[in-house]
Amino acid sequence: MIQSPHESRSALVTGASSGIGAATAHRLTTDGWRVFAVARRAEKLELLAEQEGIIPLVCDVSDAEQVAQVQRRVAEEGGIDTLINVAGGALGVDSVADGRVEDWEWMYRTNVLGTLQMTRAFLPMLREHGEGTVLNLTSTAAQAAYEGGGGYNAAKSGQQALTGALRLEEAEHNVRVVEVLPGLVHTEEFTAKRLRGDAAAAEAVYRGVEKPLTADDVAEVIAHAVNLPHHVNLDQIVVRPVAQAAQHKVIRRD
Ligand code: 8X3
């Protein structure tokens, strides 16, 4: 049974086992939402599910069969009105000249195809609800290319293009489509994964930056966008720390 727009809100958040996804699941639950928290890693999700109102679902968003199972489970549990695609990430900082095809494929699969699979699976439910929302977390990497960013720039640009097309296609179904583009965010995993576990190199990315964004900062912005009255569509929200005036301009005090 799909809830009417006037009953309490329900969201599904992907990438929910850590970082911005986990912070968003917590934040929305605190705001009174029911949240389906989707991630690949069961043990991390279990920790998250200790918070009342969070329903953990293990799923790889780039796997069509797993996504279909999650869709059926969510439908049985009353459905959602809001889909928040956070799953994704970066792998490697190689130049284009040295680009590894397997890294680029992983980034395209998780950022673009994962968003596609989840969106396709849940759009009928969002349309039927009558006031649906899709929020995609892209990146400032979709706006400006930088050295060593080629694969991630390409993947996030692809996810951004998907998001723009979706907004045009779904307006007639009253589904709003929001894009949040964060800049420098200090999370426990994003840069460590990108740098293949090199913790020292990962910390150097944030060296001397007094206040990079936190996952909670971005979750606050996401919550604001989805808590607004449904007719208000924040199409694109770019959010950076003050210390990062642009992709190439980071203030370091050291
Ligand atoms: C992360 C932002 O600056 O590493 O999405 O590309 S950046």
Side-chain angles (χ1 to χ4, degrees):
M1 241 258 308
I2 304 290
Q3 294 178 327
S4 93
H6 306 294
E7 290 170 11
S8 71
R9 307 275 308 274
S10 294
L12 185 152
V13 181
T14 71
S17 59
S18 69
I20 294 170
T24 301
H26 277 302
R27 173 56 208 258
L28 289 180
T29 309
T30 306
D31 287 349
W33 289 60
R34 191 172 63 131
V35 176
F36 295 93
V38 166
R40 277 173 305 163
R41 294 171 299 179
E43 67 287 359
K44 289 228 167 196
L45 270 183
E46 289 309 322
L47 285 175
L48 190 72
E50 286 169 12
Q51 183 167 340
E52 203 181 332
I54 294 188
I55 302 155
L57 296 173
V58 177
C59 170
D60 177 344
V61 297
S62 63
D63 182 311
E65 184 45 42
Q66 291 183 35
V67 169
Q69 278 174 15
V70 161
Q71 193 279 340
R72 285 194 290 273
R73 171 78 196 283
V74 171
E76 283 163 15
E77 301 258 355
I80 55 166
D81 57 84
T82 297
L83 171 65
I84 302 180
N85 289 305
V86 177
L91 197 53
V93 285
D94 302 315
S95 65
V96 174
D98 294 324
R100 304 183 205 186
V101 171
E102 61 271 25
D103 289 352
W104 286 52
E105 282 177 343
W106 182 86
M107 288 188 275
Y108 195 81
R109 195 164 59 248
T110 54
N111 292 285
V112 184
L113 300 182
T115 299
L116 170 67
Q117 301 262 31
M118 291 300 293
T119 304
R120 277 177 37 157
F122 282 92
L123 267 181
M125 188 183 285
L126 300 179
R127 289 173 177 175
E128 191 185 335
H129 179 275
E131 290 192 348
T133 298
V134 178
L135 185 148
N136 290 340
L137 189 89
T138 66
S139 168
T140 52
Q143 288 187 310
Y146 52 88
E147 291 127 306
Y152 187 56
N153 296 141
K156 284 301 187 186
S157 298
Q159 189 190 17
Q160 177 173 72
L162 176 163
T163 307
L166 185 70
R167 185 178 304 111
L168 295 170
E169 292 163 0
E170 292 305 314
E172 65 186 279
H173 301 290
N174 204 32
V175 175
R176 71 177 160 180
V177 178
V178 182
E179 180 187 358
V180 175
L181 302 84
L184 193 66
V185 186
H186 198 173
T187 60
E188 67 270 30
E189 288 188 355
F190 176 83
T191 304
K193 177 167 180 61
R194 182 177 208 174
L195 299 176
R196 305 180 206 283
D198 184 339
E203 273 315 302
V205 170
Y206 309 101
R207 176 187 49 80
V209 181
E210 277 181 358
K211 285 187 180 174
L213 295 179
T214 65
D216 286 340
D217 293 330
V218 181
E220 175 91 21
V221 171
I222 291 172
H224 176 69
V226 299
N227 278 320
L228 281 170
H230 184 267
H231 67 284
V232 181
N233 198 143
L234 296 179
D235 286 6
Q236 291 187 311
I237 310 167
V238 177
V239 49
R240 301 177 186 275
V242 175
Q244 186 192 33
Q247 208 74 5
H248 66 278
K249 185 177 173 73
V250 177
I251 310 300
R252 298 185 193 272
R253 301 199 186 280
D254 55 0

